[in-house]
Amino acid sequence: MIVFIDEYRDRFCVEFICATLKKERGGGFLSSRGYRDAKRRPASKRAIRDGELVELVRQIYAENYRVYGVRKMLHALKRQGVNIGPEQTRRIMALARVKG
C-alpha cells in the first residue's frame, strides 16, 4: 500500500487516500501517521537481503537461457553459497519477475 500511496499522493493528499481506503476496506488500514512512520523507517535486513538476491537471481536466470525454475534456481543459489530455502527462492523469483 505504501507504493500505491506514493503513486497517487500528488493527485490526492495522504490523509484523503488513507481515510478512503480505511472506509472502503472496513478499517484496519494504515493511517497517514503510520504511512509517514513507515517512510522514515530504515529498510529491514530482509528487504536489504531480498534486494541483493533479486539481482543475483536475475543474473543466474539470464546466464542460464531464462529457463530455470524454482528447483534449479534453488540449487544454483546454493552453489553460489547462498543459504536459502525453496519458498524463499519462489518469493525472490516473484520479486525479480522471472519464471522457469
Side-chain angles (χ1 to χ4, degrees):
M1 280 292 147
I2 302 294
V3 175
F4 177 81
I5 294 172
D6 285 343
E7 185 176 337
Y8 290 101
R9 70 181 292 176
D10 293 335
R11 292 176 57 192
F12 308 102
C13 69
V14 172
E15 289 80 9
F16 176 75
I17 295 171
C18 290
T20 303
L21 289 172
K22 186 174 186 176
K23 185 174 79 174
E24 292 299 319
R25 290 189 168 224
F29 186 71
L30 180 67
S31 66
S32 58
R33 182 176 178 183
Y35 165 77
R36 289 189 177 89
D37 287 344
K39 291 294 286 185
R40 280 192 294 263
R41 192 175 308 127
S44 66
K45 289 180 183 179
R46 177 179 169 173
I48 293 168
R49 183 171 187 252
D50 285 356
E52 295 166 356
L53 289 176
V54 162
E55 294 304 317
L56 183 58
V57 164
R58 285 181 181 151
Q59 177 188 349
I60 291 170
Y61 188 72
E63 289 171 356
N64 291 286
Y65 307 106
R66 303 183 188 284
V67 296
Y68 270 18
V70 174
R71 188 172 50 90
K72 286 186 179 180
M73 184 63 70
L74 173 65
H75 293 296
L77 288 168
K78 287 191 179 224
R79 281 193 301 270
Q80 296 273 337
V82 177
N83 185 15
I84 193 167
E87 292 304 316
Q88 285 179 307
T89 304
R90 183 173 283 112
R91 184 175 53 80
I92 298 297
M93 286 181 70
L95 286 173
R97 294 189 175 119
V98 298
K99 291 183 179 180

